[in-house]
Amino acid sequence: MRTSRPLLPGLIEACHAVIVSNADHLGELDRAIGDGDHGTNMKRGSEAVYAERDQLGGLPLPEALEKIGMVLVTTIGGAAGPLYGTLLIEMGRGLRAAGSGDGVLAETLPPAVAAVARRGRAQAGDKTLLDVLYAVQQAVLKQSPPAEVAAYAMSAATDTIAMKALRGRASFLGDRSIGHMDPGACSCALLTGSICRFLEEFPSA
Ligand code: ADP
Ligand code: MG
């Protein structure tokens, strides 16, 4: 199996950069339909992973993904921490179970996204980060090029504007949650865009 070096530290840096530069925006989105902490939560998690990027880069990819997931659970907090954490932990476990082979990482997405859905007791259309994860999963399984995957992700996040939140803090607002983009969907689309841009520059990754 390909080791995570030097791809992973670069990916971590790209994810960190997009979260830091959009933390205020994510906070504003969460102020509109939540409690305003999504930007600071994501930034805290991102900083913790960023600080460990070199050690993580030295681990085989399955272990690195699981470790990142655990760091995210303990540092992001809120609702999003366990959800992003579950995604990464399950991808790492799936990758380890599957062994080597091209396209294996993509195949870990459906069970990992399903685990996120179980964890949040959420489904498509509930106006959460899951709406973006499903779009990404679909695009990745279709083997869409990275730029297309990123576009699908942002389009799915934009689609949450018209939705009524059925899960998480925003669901307490009922109809008043309509008309705002879901903060978790936004962070998920931003991260996807950043990962896709990075991978485009590393076509052999
Ligand atoms: P909190 O809601 O605890 O303040 P954050 O603000 O960090 O946590 O994260 C909020 C985001 O988490 C939401 O915008 C939504 O995308 C996601 N989320 C919240 N609850 C759920 C859930 N039950 N299932 C899926 N995603 C959820
Ligand atoms: Mg919040």
Side-chain angles (χ1 to χ4, degrees), residues 30 35 37-38:
D30 198 31
D35 56 358
D37 63 356
H38 190 59

Side-chain angles (χ1 to χ4, degrees), residues 49-113:
V49 175
Y50 183 76
E52 292 193 34
R53 67 193 181 285
D54 290 331
Q55 298 94 300
L56 288 164
L59 297 175
L61 195 52
E63 278 84 338
L65 293 178
E66 283 183 72
K67 181 91 196 296
I68 293 171
M70 286 186 271
V71 171
L72 293 180
V73 171
T74 53
T75 57
I76 296 181
L83 298 170
Y84 274 118
T86 296
L87 181 73
L88 275 290
I89 290 168
E90 291 300 325
M91 285 181 76
R93 284 183 186 155
L95 201 56
R96 175 165 334 115
S100 60
D102 283 346
V104 163
L105 193 58
E107 285 162 24
T108 65
L109 257 185
V113 172

Side-chain angles (χ1 to χ4, degrees), residues 26 30-31 33-39 41 78-80 169 183:
L26 294 172
D30 198 31
R31 256 192 302 285
I33 58 169
D35 56 358
D37 63 356
H38 190 59
N41 288 349
R169 228 175 263 281

